[in-house]
Amino acid sequence: MDISKSCTSCGSNNFQVSSHYETKNNGTRELLKCNECEHLYAETANTFMFNIKSSVSKIALVLNSRTEGMSFNATCRVHAISTHTLQSWEARFGDLKDILMAYTLSHTFIEMIVEGDELYTKINKNVPQEDSEGWTLMLMDRASRFIIDLTCGKKNKDLFMNAMTILSEVVKVTNDLTLLTDGERRYSKYLFQICYDLLRNDKPGRPKKVLKENVRIKLKNKGSQAHKPGPKLDKYQTPKPEHPNTENKISNHEIHANHAEGQNAAIRRKNSAYRRKTNTYAKIKEGLQRTLDIYWVVHNFVRKHFTTKEVPAVKLGVMEKALCVKDLLLNVRIVF
């Protein structure tokens, strides 16, 4: 994550202040000149605030309102901004998710327990659940409450495969990872397709496929599934074969996604599209994903978690201290 004023053309940190200019609502800013390529650029170049005249404090207040449960149209009315302006701000702020995730994956983690769960809302109109694009899949680290993925769409292979692809990137930088789910077997199925080793034992025949060493998948069958026909399954399962060198470090009573379900309840409070018995559900999938990206950034890097009393990124060890919204608006550089 680049939070410096390096040159936007060549990336050099060898620059000087060329001049100053006055902004409408944000005081005096610097115009910088690169000593290497002589490129002139504003200090806000490639940041959220580039070419935006509104004050930083107002934008931070608007985005905070959205992450505290205020609906899209209500936010526009209360803060006297147009719907196009709010949509543009949300899209820009949500774009920070990719660079912050890349920064997170540049670190190595010793051990991680990830909980996977889904929550549901309507989009545009009331349709059967299997046809709705409002299914939201969440992967969250149990200890730090860091949300690894928060993506919406139809509850099909693409939704789960995208989430497992991201989790496979986390596996590469984690020495010991456990995935815990409640009843949904597609987590293990699609992660196993991406993240497996071939177990060679010098015997004839194809080598056996197993999960990578020190990667575990544990599944808890909910009591509500006991009525289903067919053979009765054990309450706690290892749905895919594990590597023989992988140690079983988690007991049965720890196999649950209760923390993820608690986070789902928080999302229902803080995102108006997920509230029950309401008509403020999302109108389009892209709009819902935009609000989820904003929530991801604020939850992981700005706001202290109620239980841990720390910002998830700080608890996870990704950052030494929390960012504020002003840091994200002015200093995190990303090409839009």
Side-chain angles (χ1 to χ4, degrees):
M1 181 176 56
D2 184 9
I3 57 174
S4 68
K5 297 180 180 180
S6 57
C7 177
T8 58
S9 177
C10 66
S12 172
N13 287 319
N14 184 12
F15 61 86
Q16 62 181 0
V17 178
S18 175
S19 61
H20 295 81
Y21 63 96
E22 291 292 330
T23 62
K24 184 178 180 180
N25 294 304
N26 293 293
T28 302
R29 285 182 176 160
E30 298 174 343
L31 188 65
L32 307 176
K33 180 180 180 180
C34 178
N35 293 328
E36 301 291 336
C37 64
E38 298 186 350
H39 175 66
L40 287 172
Y41 59 98
E43 64 172 304
T44 58
N46 288 350
T47 69
F48 179 99
M49 293 302 299
F50 184 64
N51 278 342
I52 291 184
K53 297 180 180 179
S54 300
S55 66
V56 175
S57 58
K58 180 175 181 178
I59 296 174
L61 185 62
V62 169
L63 294 174
N64 186 61
S65 298
R66 289 291 281 150
T67 59
E68 286 293 346
M70 187 174 288
S71 68
F72 185 89
N73 290 329
T75 303
C76 293
R77 292 193 302 268
V78 170
H79 297 286
I81 57 177
S82 71
T83 56
H84 295 292
T85 298
L86 180 54
Q87 184 175 350
S88 174
W89 289 356
E90 288 185 348
R92 280 196 175 203
F93 196 77
D95 286 339
L96 298 176
K97 176 183 177 181
D98 292 336
I99 193 169
L100 291 172
M101 189 64 193
Y103 178 74
T104 301
L105 292 176
S106 66
H107 294 71
T108 300
F109 308 108
I110 298 176
E111 183 178 6
M112 191 175 288
I113 297 177
V114 179
E115 295 184 9
D117 201 10
E118 316 87 42
L119 66 160
Y120 166 77
T121 188
K122 303 172 185 177
I123 287 186
N124 191 23
K125 58 183 179 180
N126 196 5
V127 296
Q129 291 188 5
E130 60 272 13
D131 297 329
S132 174
E133 295 181 319
W135 283 97
T136 305
L137 196 153
M138 181 174 67
L139 299 174
M140 186 182 73
D141 174 56
R142 174 179 286 183
S144 66
R145 307 301 200 273
F146 187 93
I147 297 178
I148 297 170
D149 187 43
L150 192 63
T151 309
C152 69
K154 288 187 176 181
K155 194 176 181 181
N156 54 20
K157 177 181 178 180
D158 292 338
L159 181 65
F160 284 87
M161 185 62 80
N162 290 338
M164 293 303 101
T165 301
I166 294 173
L167 186 60
S168 68
E169 296 298 318
V170 177
V171 169
K172 295 177 182 178
V173 296
T174 307
N175 297 328
D176 191 300
L177 187 141
T178 303
L179 173 63
L180 306 176
T181 70
D182 273 359
E184 181 60 71
R185 307 182 70 84
R186 279 181 282 192
Y187 291 98
S188 59
K189 176 181 177 181
Y190 295 128
L191 181 60
F192 191 69
Q193 292 179 9
I194 304 172
C195 182
Y196 68 86
D197 279 338
L198 296 177
L199 190 61
R200 303 181 186 276
N201 52 12
D202 298 329
K203 294 183 179 179
R206 294 180 179 177
K208 182 181 180 180
K209 285 185 178 181
V210 295
L211 286 168
K212 286 184 176 293
E213 187 175 351
N214 292 328
V215 176
R216 290 172 291 273
I217 303 177
K218 304 294 184 182
L219 182 148
K220 176 184 177 182
N221 284 313
K222 296 180 179 179
S224 60
Q225 297 181 355
H227 68 280
K228 293 184 178 180
K232 299 301 180 183
L233 301 175
D234 294 334
K235 187 174 182 181
Y236 304 100
Q237 290 184 304
T238 302
K240 295 296 179 181
E242 297 177 351
H243 196 282
N245 295 335
T246 300
E247 297 182 7
N248 184 17
K249 295 183 177 180
I250 189 162
S251 58
N252 284 347
H253 75 275
E254 295 177 304
I255 301 175
H256 58 76
N258 295 348
H259 302 82
E261 291 174 353
Q263 186 60 48
N264 288 347
I267 291 178
R268 291 189 180 99
R269 292 194 306 270
K270 295 176 181 293
N271 191 323
S272 62
Y274 288 91
R275 292 177 187 165
R276 294 169 178 170
K277 297 182 180 178
T278 181
N279 62 353
T280 59
Y281 52 81
K283 301 302 184 290
I284 57 174
K285 173 187 171 184
E286 290 75 14
L288 178 60
Q289 185 61 56
R290 195 171 63 241
T291 64
L292 294 175
D293 291 344
I294 295 172
Y295 185 86
W296 186 94
V297 174
V298 173
H299 171 87
N300 286 333
F301 293 90
V302 177
R303 187 175 292 153
K304 288 185 179 180
H305 193 273
F306 176 79
T307 302
T308 63
K309 309 301 181 185
E310 290 188 72
V311 175
V314 176
K315 180 73 174 177
L316 190 62
V318 173
M319 309 193 75
E320 295 183 358
K321 63 179 182 179
L323 296 174
C324 65
V325 176
K326 183 178 179 180
D327 293 330
L328 295 171
L329 298 181
L330 289 173
N331 297 327
V332 178
R333 297 190 178 274
I334 181 173
V335 178
F336 296 103

